[in-house]
Amino acid sequence: MAKIIMALQVVPKVEESRIYEVVDEAIKVIAASGVPYEVGPMETTMEGEPDQLWEIIKEAQEACIRAGASRVMAYIKMDYVPTGSTIGEKIDKYRNK
């Protein structure tokens, strides 16, 4: 199966002073997964097999709960192209300026 791109934004329900701390736990899950990823100001974009990325999203939400969130809202974007899609093809032209 071709690789796709998924972007995840988690919004944990915690005290405002702890939001970034809890979001960092979700990002740690993504980093530990080994998939190519890029942290942005509003979301983290990952590249991989669809089933693999869905599992990472599930684990990232659970990490937020373990870190003390009583609820986690998740916003997910997906770019599915049957032949595959990469982060690089979307943004490399902007990085090289």
Side-chain angles (χ1 to χ4, degrees):
M1 183 173 274
K3 289 187 176 183
I4 65 167
I5 297 172
M6 291 181 100
L8 171 65
Q9 177 187 28
V10 293
V11 182
K13 185 175 180 184
V14 292
E15 309 82 61
E16 185 153 348
S17 64
R18 295 196 58 235
I19 290 175
Y20 290 115
E21 169 191 330
V22 176
V23 169
D24 284 346
E25 293 304 309
I27 294 170
K28 286 178 187 176
V29 168
I30 295 167
S33 73
V35 300
Y37 73 98
E38 188 161 306
V39 176
M42 299 293 292
E43 63 194 13
T44 299
T45 304
M46 304 173 283
E47 179 183 315
E49 300 287 332
D51 290 343
Q52 177 187 32
L53 298 182
W54 284 117
E55 185 61 31
I56 294 167
I57 289 170
K58 178 181 158 188
E59 291 175 22
Q61 291 179 22
E62 289 297 325
C64 291
I65 297 296
R66 286 191 303 273
S70 61
R71 179 182 200 161
V72 182
M73 299 282 290
Y75 299 92
I76 300 164
K77 295 181 205 173
M78 178 173 58
D79 182 15
Y80 173 77
V81 179
T83 56
S85 184
T86 68
I87 295 170
E89 72 186 20
K90 302 260 185 241
I91 61 173
D92 279 352
K93 68 181 179 182
Y94 301 108
R95 288 183 177 155
N96 298 324
K97 285 190 171 195

